[in-house]
Amino acid sequence: MRPPISQEQESLLGELRAELRQHHRRGRLLVAVDGRDGAGKTLFADALADALRDDGSTVFRASADDFHRPRAERYARGRTSAEGHYRDSYDTEALLERLLRPFRAGAPFVRATHDLGEDRAVAPEAETAPADAILVVDGLFLLRPELRDVWNWSVWLDAPLDVAFGRMAERDGSDSDPLAASNARYRAGFDLYLQDGDPRGRASVILDNTDPRHPVRVFRDFC
């Protein structure tokens, strides 16, 4: 069960909903929630989806974690490869062709192609979305060059390294030290992503999610 959201979170989510609807009144909309691992993407995306439902919108939720590549492909460049983490973790083509593009077109789509825990392909029953619907997707690398133009709107979550890796340690039992050797693949892989066309700068909204109960909007300085 998700923890109840704070009044501050509720207010911010209401502002974001109004902003999204100001730009996109109707149609099938694709919304990305991106940021480094441990930034709080899943919980935020769930809360955003609930806030969007509150105005009567039909909302679907999905996660890039259900579009991983098989383990052999993910580690083909080596267990410690940062390039492998960024380039090979996710089946970007499947995410596009099985979920995002069909959703936008009103065609049958699936919300998963791979079970990460069991490392096997899955074939869930296909769904279709009504003419006015929103798909909220959370995950790593959603604003990479191959995907960034498909989204109608996107949120980027910031969190300091120590906070993010601390959350990962609590969730996964990993080392909480960002500089630990076991974390090098993920830290450096995300750095490669940040260098690949400034994904953070391309997000519609940037939030400091250091404290999820007190998220703070970050406004870019264009001067």
Side-chain angles (χ1 to χ4, degrees):
M1 179 179 295
R2 297 196 301 273
I5 67 172
S6 67
Q7 186 173 358
E8 191 169 345
Q9 286 173 292
E10 184 176 5
S11 177
L12 176 63
L13 289 166
E15 292 174 10
L16 297 181
R17 178 183 62 210
E19 183 173 322
L20 171 61
R21 282 310 192 183
Q22 179 181 2
H23 297 287
H24 304 284
R25 301 300 301 175
R26 302 182 65 82
R28 299 184 192 91
L29 306 177
L30 301 176
V31 174
V33 177
D34 199 348
R36 74 168 61 253
D37 208 353
K41 298 182 296 297
T42 299
L43 288 177
F44 181 85
D46 286 344
L48 178 61
D50 285 343
L52 293 169
R53 291 187 184 102
D54 285 344
D55 72 358
S57 296
T58 298
V59 182
F60 295 80
R61 274 284 285 119
S63 175
D65 283 346
D66 295 317
F67 290 84
H68 270 87
R69 295 185 182 277
R71 185 176 294 117
E73 296 180 18
R74 298 200 306 272
Y75 295 107
R77 301 178 201 243
R79 298 285 300 186
T80 61
S81 171
E83 189 84 9
H85 176 52
Y86 177 42
R87 304 293 179 191
D88 304 329
S89 289
Y90 295 94
D91 190 340
T92 304
E93 183 177 357
L95 183 62
L96 273 171
E97 300 302 331
R98 304 292 305 282
L99 175 60
L100 302 180
R101 285 175 177 156
F103 181 93
R104 171 73 59 75
F109 63 89
V110 296
R111 288 191 255 183
T113 58
H114 187 264
D115 184 308
L116 182 61
E118 297 188 8
D119 192 36
R120 63 178 179 85
V122 296
E125 186 174 349
E127 307 170 76
T128 56
D132 294 301
I134 305 172
L135 173 63
V136 179
V137 184
D138 72 274
L140 283 170
F141 311 145
L142 292 181
L143 296 178
R144 66 196 307 156
E146 304 95 309
L147 294 176
R148 63 177 53 135
D149 291 335
V150 77
W151 307 106
N152 296 100
W153 201 71
S154 56
V155 178
W156 181 277
L157 299 183
D158 279 334
L161 276 176
D162 60 334
V163 172
F165 278 89
R167 290 173 183 163
M168 291 167 61
E170 184 175 349
R171 182 190 69 198
D172 304 328
S174 54
D175 195 319
S176 63
D177 181 2
L179 300 180
S182 58
N183 287 328
R185 169 184 171 91
Y186 309 105
R187 187 184 67 251
F190 197 79
D191 287 343
L192 289 177
Y193 175 44
L194 292 177
Q195 296 162 17
D196 196 4
D198 186 23
R200 181 181 183 274
R202 292 177 176 270
S204 306
V205 174
I206 301 172
L207 300 178
D208 181 340
N209 203 44
T210 303
D211 180 352
R213 291 186 61 78
H214 303 283
V216 178
R217 185 154 185 181
V218 177
F219 291 94
R220 302 178 186 87
D221 183 359
F222 293 102
C223 298

